[in-house]
């Protein structure tokens, strides 16, 4: 238990020589102006550090000082104190010790708060000191909406008898509709708290599976009330203007929700399954705006080259990679930079991701034959300077785009390929003449996203056996670098990773490469690219991040296995075969010591294709 003596924090700090009387008076005057607590005021005025203050309180009150980043909080214990009360008293139930509860507080000297907590909690409490900064981070991590989602799901299911599915015949009573709205609001709030990019609602025979993609990895939540799935789908269809009577065909739509004063744009895709309709929702935080090219994490030297290429008056520039690799984010960053009064810019998208001023954005609608190809033919008669095509999907779109680039327009687009080298070859495989590709294609940027090692719990770890095979196949000095790996902490949800960063490779189509394309020499094209000392592969970029401790060797190997063959099942490969793939993707002789610029961070919630 905490001491029941009132502590005058200012006097305590003066007695221990951390501040003097003059500083205390200055802080008290500032406190009267701002209304903040004295401790927060002293920290803001940089008279004491938060760590000094916490250590002093811990020693004086004889209570432990706990670092939440190192402490594994008991989620069941957290639920004993509702979030609204936890925030009011600046407290968090950390652990159930059997006879007592361990409660962390940012101000354990607040006797009134201690008394209130003792009265509200079912067991006597032991108080510990925790950082207020860490405490507020913990609120977002610990008070996820999982319990709230389960509660609303149960309430909704109780309105109907077991096995009675929701349908149009059932109708929506106001009370029921309100529960559905609250349930969906909780799901969206939980996704935003987790910084998820996608929400998957997947009905099964006996349960409803809700999964959220965080940093590229799905996290799962099971709801046993399977019969509420159709109510959620129906509500989402109404929100996004879809046909609520159509359950046999896939549909696409979009809507907006407001979460904590943030407008979230939601792209919705439905698909019929055996036990209902699956819904996948892509979340885009419109309030954050479009990322700049610097914010994508593109290395400085590559960024300089890419900028010079997008400012050319004509030619085609492709950004390639799989779904979710950040292609659209990079294209919008380029468009944002090119969006000047003197440039007429038209985009053809499916769907339109971000609304940008001054840019003419056209939404593809295949139902009325408003296709990429038909729109492109029209846009070329609209006197554009710059065209952005959402994706090169078929032969007709490719040829119109290439001819547009050849006739004086700058054309930006995306393509689903594994790397930059295969992109030009893919255009030819799609039916475009080699001479047209050679004359029009100016640049290809391939990109991926890799997870960043959590900066709070990262530690130097020796390479594992597969890593050693790889490192031994490259120059010896590369193996002397220290590599980082996250051990897992509260801040990263004990995954060891927090956030993602983009890795890029840039291929500029030079005259020797143009000659190979015209001649139809695909193998010669690839060999010429790889022999260029200025060309750095995706694997090389990711390895640079690993050497700097930004990502782990596990992430680098995962990326290389995806890129090295794309069609081949990498899980069946031997270590020797993996070593050969890795060796082929990273140049043995490298004199370029430049490092990727990561000061602006990588791509996050708004990552799109």
């Amino acid at each position: 238990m905490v001491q029941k003596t009132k502590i005058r924090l200012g006097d305590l700090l003066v007695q221990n020589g951390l501040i003097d009387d003059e500083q205390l008076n200055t802080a008290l005057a500032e406190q009267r102006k701002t209304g903040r607590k004295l401790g927060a005021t002293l920290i803001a005025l940089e008279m004491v550090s938060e760590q000094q203050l916490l250590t002093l309180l811990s020693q004086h009150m004889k209570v432990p000082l706990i670092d939440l980043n190192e402490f594994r909080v008991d989620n069941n214990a957290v639920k004993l104190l509702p979030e609204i009360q936890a925030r009011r008293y600046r407290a968090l139930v950390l652990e159930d010790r059997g006879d007592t509860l361990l409660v962390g507080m940012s101000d354990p000297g607040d006797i009134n708060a201690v008394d209130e907590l003792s009265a509200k909690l079912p067991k006597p409490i032991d108080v510990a000191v925790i950082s207020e900064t860490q405490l507020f981070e913990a609120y977002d991590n610990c008070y996820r909406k999982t319990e709230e989602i389960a509660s609303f799901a149960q309430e909704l299911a109780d309105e109907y008898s077991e096995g009675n599915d929701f349908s149009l015949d059932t109708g929506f009573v106001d009370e029921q509709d309100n529960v559905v709205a609250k349930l969906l609001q909780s799901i969206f709030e939980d996704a935003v708290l987790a910084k998820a990019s996608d929400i998957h609602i997947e009905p099964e025979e006996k349960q409803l599976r809700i999964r959220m993609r965080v940093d590229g990895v799905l996290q799962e939540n099971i709801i046993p009330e399977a019969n509420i799935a159709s109510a959620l789908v129906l509500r989402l269809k109404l929100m996004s203007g879809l046909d609520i009577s159509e359950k046999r065909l896939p549909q696409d739509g979009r809507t907006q929700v407001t979460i904590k004063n943030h407008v979230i744009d939601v792209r919705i895709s439905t698909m019929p399954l055996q036990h209902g309709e699956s819904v996948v929702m892509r979340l885009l935080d419109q309030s954050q705006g479009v990322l700049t090219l610097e914010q994508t994490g593109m290395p400085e030297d590559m960024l300089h080259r890419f900028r010079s290429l997008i400012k050319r008056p004509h030619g085609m520039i492709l950004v390639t990679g799989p779904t979710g690799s950040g292609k659209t984010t990079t294209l919008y960053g380029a468009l944002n930079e090119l969006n000047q009064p003197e440039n007429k810019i038209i985009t053809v998208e499916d769907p339109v991701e971000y609304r940008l001023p001054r840019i003419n954005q056209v939404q593809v609608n295949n139902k009325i034959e408003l296709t990429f190809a038909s729109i492109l033919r029209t846009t070329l008669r609209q006197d554009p300077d710059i065209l952005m095509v959402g994706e090169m999907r078929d032969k007709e779109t490719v040829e119109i785009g290439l001819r547009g680039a050849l006739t004086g327009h700058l054309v930006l687009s995306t393509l689903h390929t594994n790397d930059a080298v295969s992109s030009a070859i893919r255009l030819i495989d799609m039916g475009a003449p080699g001479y047209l590709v050679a004359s029009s294609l100016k640049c290809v940027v391939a990109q991926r996203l890799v997870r960043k090692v959590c900066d709070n719990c990262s530690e130097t770890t020796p390479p594992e056996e597969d890593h050693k095979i790889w490192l031994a196949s490259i120059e010896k000095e590369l193996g002397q670098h220290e590599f980082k790996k996250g051990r897992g902490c509260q801040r990263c949800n004990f995954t060891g990773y927090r956030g993602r960063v983009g890795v890029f490779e840039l291929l500029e189509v030079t005259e020797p490469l143009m000659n190979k394309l015209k001649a139809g020499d695909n193998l010669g094209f690839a060999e010429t690219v790889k022999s260029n000392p200025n060309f750095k592969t995706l694997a090389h970029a990711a390895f640079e991040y690993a050497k700097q401790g930004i990502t782990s060797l596990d992430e680098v190997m995962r990326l290389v296995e995806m890129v090295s063959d794309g069609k081949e099942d990498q899980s069946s490969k031997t270590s020797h075969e993996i070593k050969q793939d890795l060796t082929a993707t990273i140049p043995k002789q490298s004199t370029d010591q430049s490092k990727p610029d990561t000061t602006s961070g990588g791509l996050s919630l708004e990552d799109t294709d």
Side-chain angles (χ1 to χ4, degrees):
M1 289 290 293
V2 68
Q3 299 181 56
K4 290 284 186 173
T5 55
K6 185 70 175 176
I7 300 174
R8 290 174 61 89
L9 180 61
D11 294 340
L12 186 62
L13 289 165
V14 172
Q15 290 171 13
N16 284 269
L18 294 178
I19 61 173
D20 55 33
D21 290 328
E22 184 179 348
Q23 288 176 310
L24 175 59
N25 291 331
T26 302
L28 289 171
E30 181 67 20
Q31 182 193 22
R32 286 190 288 271
K33 292 179 184 176
T34 62
R36 289 188 297 186
K37 289 190 175 184
L38 180 59
T41 303
L42 288 164
I43 293 170
L45 294 174
E46 298 182 348
M47 293 180 178
V48 295
S49 69
E50 186 178 37
Q51 188 62 37
Q52 287 176 315
L53 188 59
L54 295 175
T55 302
L56 179 62
L57 286 173
S58 172
Q59 293 171 349
H60 181 78
M61 301 183 67
K62 296 181 174 58
V63 297
L65 171 60
I66 291 179
D67 183 353
L68 281 187
N69 291 327
E70 306 292 336
F71 190 90
R72 198 175 191 104
V73 177
D74 182 350
N75 288 325
N76 290 325
V78 168
K79 297 169 189 172
L80 295 173
L81 187 66
E83 181 180 4
I84 188 170
Q85 295 178 4
R87 290 183 182 272
R88 179 185 302 161
Y89 301 124
R90 298 290 194 270
L92 188 70
V93 183
L94 304 176
E95 185 178 61
D96 187 343
R97 293 178 163 180
D99 295 332
T100 62
L101 296 172
L102 178 62
V103 178
M105 299 181 68
S106 62
D107 183 8
D110 188 342
I111 303 302
N112 293 331
V114 173
D115 288 341
E116 289 288 336
L117 289 169
S118 298
K120 294 180 182 301
L121 291 170
K123 296 180 182 180
I125 65 173
D126 297 326
V127 174
V129 187
I130 53 179
S131 158
E132 188 167 83
T133 304
Q134 292 182 357
L135 183 62
F136 283 115
E137 285 185 359
Y139 287 147
D140 288 341
N141 289 329
C142 295
Y143 287 102
R144 292 279 299 272
K145 300 295 180 178
T146 308
E147 289 298 314
E148 192 175 284
I149 291 169
S151 175
F152 284 134
Q154 180 64 54
E155 183 180 349
L156 187 59
D158 287 346
E159 298 289 334
Y160 295 84
S161 60
E162 185 177 352
N164 184 17
D165 194 14
F166 293 86
S167 67
L168 288 176
D169 297 331
T170 316
F172 267 101
V173 183
D174 289 343
E175 183 179 350
Q176 297 162 354
D177 190 37
N178 189 39
V179 176
V180 177
K182 288 180 179 178
L183 175 55
L184 281 173
Q185 183 75 6
S186 296
I187 292 172
F188 284 124
E189 287 178 1
D190 192 47
V192 171
L193 282 175
K195 298 183 178 178
S197 59
D198 301 85
I199 303 173
H200 297 237
I201 297 177
E202 302 166 342
E204 298 180 2
E205 183 179 5
K206 297 182 179 179
Q207 62 189 15
L208 175 63
R209 196 181 302 272
I210 297 180
R211 299 196 281 177
M212 299 182 184
R213 191 174 295 280
V214 181
D215 288 340
V217 179
L218 286 171
Q219 298 179 359
E220 187 170 82
N221 183 24
I222 302 295
I223 295 179
E225 295 82 12
N227 65 333
I228 71 170
S230 55
L232 292 179
V233 175
L234 183 55
R235 176 79 184 196
L236 288 168
K237 284 183 174 180
L238 289 169
M239 289 169 60
S240 53
L242 300 181
D243 184 353
I244 59 176
S245 65
E246 180 57 76
K247 299 182 179 180
R248 301 167 300 169
L249 296 173
Q251 297 187 69
D252 295 312
R254 71 190 306 160
T255 185
Q256 285 187 336
V257 295
T258 302
I259 307 295
K260 293 187 176 180
N261 298 322
H262 281 217
V263 178
I264 308 296
D265 199 38
V266 184
R267 280 169 37 193
I268 296 178
S269 172
T270 70
M271 183 174 68
L273 301 180
Q274 186 178 5
H275 299 290
E277 291 179 272
S278 164
V279 179
V280 175
M281 293 175 280
R282 170 66 56 88
L283 309 181
L284 297 169
D285 190 347
Q286 296 284 355
S287 63
Q288 293 185 359
V290 177
L291 291 183
T292 64
L293 288 176
E294 286 88 353
Q295 290 173 318
T296 64
M298 191 177 290
E300 189 173 348
D301 58 337
M302 187 182 294
L303 181 60
H304 178 74
R305 291 168 57 201
F306 185 62
R307 275 202 169 109
S308 66
L309 289 163
I310 64 174
K311 290 178 180 177
R312 291 183 179 181
H314 58 83
M316 176 176 284
I317 294 176
L318 291 178
V319 181
T320 75
T323 299
S325 59
K327 301 187 301 295
T328 304
T329 302
T330 300
L331 276 187
Y332 270 103
L335 282 181
N336 198 40
E337 198 156 303
L338 295 169
N339 189 8
Q340 303 296 329
E342 62 269 19
N343 289 329
K344 171 72 177 263
I345 303 176
I346 302 177
T347 71
V348 186
E349 304 173 68
D350 184 21
V352 174
E353 301 277 3
Y354 293 94
R355 278 81 169 183
L356 298 176
R358 199 187 292 119
I359 294 180
N360 297 261
Q361 297 173 274
V362 186
Q363 167 77 54
V364 169
N365 188 344
N366 290 318
K367 292 180 181 178
I368 58 173
E369 298 185 0
L370 192 65
T371 63
F372 276 106
S374 64
I375 298 171
L376 271 175
R377 280 192 290 269
T378 302
T379 57
L380 292 174
R381 296 192 290 271
Q382 289 279 313
D383 189 30
D385 298 293
I386 300 167
L387 290 172
M388 195 274 270
V389 185
E391 182 185 347
M392 290 291 164
R393 292 188 175 180
D394 51 48
K395 177 183 177 181
E396 189 176 12
T397 305
V398 169
E399 287 200 358
I400 295 173
L402 288 170
R403 293 187 187 282
L406 196 62
T407 55
H409 306 89
L410 178 66
V411 180
L412 309 176
S413 189
T414 70
L415 194 64
H416 287 274
T417 55
N418 282 328
D419 55 22
V421 176
S422 60
S423 299
I425 299 170
R426 174 68 61 84
L427 293 177
I428 295 174
D429 289 342
M430 291 173 73
Y435 73 87
L436 188 57
V437 176
S439 303
S440 304
L441 186 63
K442 303 301 180 186
C443 159
V444 181
V445 174
Q447 66 182 81
R448 292 289 194 284
L449 298 174
V450 295
R451 290 182 294 173
K452 297 166 65 176
V453 172
C454 175
D455 56 4
N456 181 68
C457 64
S458 66
E459 56 187 14
T460 302
T461 56
E464 298 175 5
E465 287 304 314
D466 280 349
H467 302 160
K468 290 178 181 177
I469 294 171
W470 177 16
L471 295 171
S473 67
I474 309 172
E475 291 189 13
K476 293 181 180 179
E477 62 265 28
L478 294 181
Q480 296 173 1
H481 288 277
E482 293 185 343
F483 299 101
K484 299 285 187 180
K485 191 172 184 177
R487 65 179 177 278
C489 67
Q490 188 73 34
R491 185 175 293 180
C492 64
N493 200 23
F494 297 95
T495 63
Y497 297 98
R498 193 162 184 251
R500 291 188 293 176
V501 64
V503 292
F504 302 84
E505 66 181 26
L506 187 149
L507 168 61
E508 188 172 353
V509 181
T510 58
E511 188 170 347
L513 294 176
M514 291 173 62
N515 293 334
K516 297 292 183 183
L517 288 174
K518 289 176 182 177
D521 184 2
N522 293 347
L523 180 60
F525 177 83
E527 290 175 347
T528 303
V529 172
K530 291 178 180 178
S531 65
N532 185 345
N534 294 322
F535 178 72
K536 306 299 179 185
T537 64
L538 287 167
H540 185 278
F543 188 57
E544 286 293 327
Y545 281 134
K547 289 194 292 183
Q548 297 172 55
I550 294 168
T551 192
S552 67
L553 285 176
D554 285 333
E555 280 292 282
V556 179
M557 291 186 73
R558 185 176 68 89
L559 178 144
V560 173
E561 288 176 17
M562 288 190 300
V563 172
S564 56
D565 195 331
K567 297 179 182 178
E568 189 174 345
D569 182 7
Q570 297 288 327
S571 61
S572 63
K573 288 191 170 188
T574 65
S575 295
H576 176 70
E577 290 171 324
I578 291 176
K579 180 191 79 170
Q580 290 178 322
D581 286 342
L582 295 173
T583 307
T585 53
I586 298 185
K588 275 199 168 189
Q589 302 296 330
S590 176
T591 57
D592 182 10
Q593 300 300 318
S594 62
K595 297 181 179 180
D597 178 17
T598 59
T599 55
S600 56
L603 307 174
S604 54
L605 181 73
E606 60 273 18
D607 299 343
T608 56
D609 284 356

